[in-house]
Amino acid sequence: MKRLNHWLVLCIGSALTTLAIAKLPTPVLTDEQKAKAEETKAKAAEVAKKEAADLGRYQDKSAERYFREMKAAGKTVPPSTWVPPAPPPVAAAQPSSSEALGQKQAAAPKTQNTANPAAAKASTGAKPTPAKG
């Protein structure tokens, strides 16, 4: 029973904490804070770019060493079959205004027999007769 009480208190406490945090207002950033955030973002992007370049260089060195060691050992290693990924596709054509709003344009049927619907129904189910000759 004591364990059940502990779990009950834990669940209620976490629910109340969640509600309290959810009701907190979002902080309003000043111009200084926005500028600092942009600067930090730019630095992070620069560091990521440098790390990617370093990683590529280290991978090339490792592959070069591997091939050199295999050649020295007298083993033949097939060349790499890796193909670099294709560049991202160019922006797609912009949809028309009605398509952008989610409206699809319906195509009208090519033939429409409004004079005699029963005849039109019968003609769609009829099979062509083979020509005698």
Side-chain angles (χ1 to χ4, degrees):
M1 186 68 172
K2 198 171 191 179
R3 280 189 166 175
L4 182 63
N5 287 340
H6 288 173
W7 280 106
L8 185 62
V9 168
L10 181 69
C11 290
I12 291 173
S14 63
L16 291 175
T17 303
T18 303
L19 288 174
I21 290 174
K23 290 185 178 185
L24 290 176
T26 56
V28 179
L29 298 178
T30 63
D31 291 337
E32 268 181 29
Q33 291 172 331
K34 288 179 185 177
K36 189 170 184 175
E38 288 296 322
E39 183 181 325
T40 305
K41 221 185 267 187
K43 283 183 181 179
E46 186 178 316
V47 168
K49 186 177 178 182
K50 183 183 179 297
E51 286 178 354
D54 287 345
L55 177 64
R57 205 168 38 246
Y58 294 142
Q59 288 174 341
D60 290 343
K61 284 175 72 175
S62 176
E64 182 181 313
R65 181 175 154 221
Y66 172 77
F67 285 119
R68 187 176 54 238
E69 288 177 358
M70 289 297 116
K71 188 176 181 182
K75 297 180 181 177
T76 58
V77 179
S80 173
T81 57
W82 181 78
V83 179
V90 181
Q94 297 294 327
S96 68
S97 62
S98 62
E99 290 173 347
L101 297 174
Q103 301 169 349
K104 292 188 177 181
Q105 296 179 1
K110 291 186 179 188
T111 59
Q112 200 171 25
N113 189 354
T114 56
N116 191 356
K121 222 181 221 184
S123 66
T124 58
K127 294 182 182 176
T129 55
K132 294 181 182 178

